[in-house]
Amino acid sequence: MENPSYARQGFALEMRELEHDLLEMGSRAEAMVASAVDAVTRLNTSEAFEVIQRDDEIDERDLDIENRCLRLLALQQPMASDLRVIGTVMKMITDIERVGDLAVDIAKIALKIDKELGETGFIDLPKMGSIARSMFRDALESYVRHDLAIVEQVIAKDDEADQLYRELRDQIHEHMRNHPDDVVSASWLMLAIHHLERIADHAVNIAERVEFMVTGSTAHLTGGRRSQD
């Protein structure tokens, strides 16, 4: 019969390895967002294609981490707190994978705007990207540190992201009215800022799951601080 202390040590080691790979997956997704935003800002088609090609890396890590979580649940005897950690990891990889997908969608928008000979410099897209990325980074950091203060910072910053989204949306509408020939490319740009706003929402999802992991409370998950579209 396996020594329980050895089993716990093995479980702890596997969890550390999972955490490492989870954070690496998150780092790659964030880098994709940064490159996608830059591709749209500068209409850099080569950078856009690079982001699109990196999507498979995120998908592969998503499946790998999910399978390892399921194996831990099947072969180990995780305690209640362990179950919350594993459940949080499985939820987080879904959000991270979706952030990677949104980065790819933003990169494709760069190609579409470039094809339309459009422009993007009339709004501060990098600012929106910076806010979404900082929220995403902080959400991952809250997981590493099990830090509820960081969780609250991420959730509070969502209001800033929403406000900037509304401001940029209004600027795009104004541009459409003044430059009707740019309506198609401006519409694609509108979609890009919507994708960034969704990335910020995924950061909030992660932060809220971390809060559940730390406290065991499901109040915000079932009642909600905010509604999701």
Side-chain angles (χ1 to χ4, degrees):
M1 182 175 180
E2 185 178 16
N3 188 315
S5 64
Y6 290 156
R8 288 300 301 170
Q9 290 174 9
F11 177 81
L13 176 60
E14 288 197 57
M15 285 306 302
R16 286 196 296 271
E17 292 174 348
L18 266 180
E19 179 178 283
H20 174 272
D21 291 346
L22 172 75
L23 296 176
E24 185 174 348
M25 179 184 176
S27 177
R28 288 176 182 236
E30 187 207 335
M32 288 172 65
V33 174
S35 295
V37 170
D38 187 63
V40 174
T41 302
R42 300 192 298 118
L43 295 180
N44 186 328
T45 57
S46 61
E47 190 169 26
F49 281 120
E50 288 175 7
V51 173
I52 295 166
Q53 291 170 355
R54 284 152 60 187
D55 187 39
D56 288 344
E57 299 175 10
I58 300 296
D59 292 342
E60 289 169 3
R61 287 179 180 273
D62 177 29
L63 291 173
D64 175 63
I65 293 173
E66 180 182 13
N67 287 334
R68 288 156 63 191
C69 285
L70 292 173
R71 188 172 67 247
L72 280 175
L73 290 172
L75 301 181
Q76 301 284 350
Q77 295 179 333
M79 298 182 293
S81 59
D82 298 328
L83 288 173
R84 291 203 302 270
V85 172
I86 295 172
T88 296
V89 169
M90 293 182 73
K91 289 288 188 179
M92 286 176 65
I93 59 174
T94 298
D95 282 298
I96 294 171
E97 191 272 338
R98 185 59 187 136
V99 167
D101 286 345
L102 288 167
V104 169
D105 290 341
I106 293 169
K108 289 178 179 178
I109 286 171
L111 302 178
K112 293 179 183 299
I113 294 176
D114 180 71
K115 184 178 180 180
E116 293 290 333
L117 302 178
E119 58 176 310
T120 62
F122 58 91
I123 66 166
D124 195 348
L125 188 69
K127 183 177 181 181
M128 185 74 191
S130 177
I131 291 174
R133 287 171 52 217
S134 69
M135 290 175 64
F136 184 64
R137 278 197 310 272
D138 288 346
L140 296 176
E141 184 71 12
S142 74
Y143 169 78
V144 172
R145 297 180 179 274
H146 294 201
D147 192 325
L148 295 179
I150 301 178
V151 166
E152 292 301 326
Q153 289 172 13
V154 173
I155 293 169
K157 203 165 189 177
D158 193 40
D159 290 337
E160 181 182 350
D162 290 342
Q163 177 60 33
L164 180 58
Y165 168 75
R166 289 189 290 269
E167 292 174 4
L168 297 182
R169 182 190 59 194
D170 290 345
Q171 291 170 20
I172 293 173
H173 283 153
E174 181 67 19
H175 183 83
M176 288 176 168
R177 285 191 289 269
N178 295 331
H179 302 84
D181 290 344
D182 289 345
V183 165
V184 174
S185 61
S187 297
W188 286 117
L189 190 58
M190 184 80 76
L191 187 57
I193 65 170
H194 176 70
H195 289 337
L196 288 171
E197 192 267 341
R198 291 300 300 139
I199 289 171
D201 285 344
H202 284 292
V204 173
N205 288 348
I206 292 171
E208 290 182 338
R209 293 302 306 192
V210 170
E211 183 177 1
F212 166 70
M213 178 185 75
V214 174
T215 67
S217 171
T218 61
H220 66 278
L221 295 175
T222 55
R225 285 186 178 89
R226 60 193 178 87
S227 62
Q228 295 258 348
D229 60 22

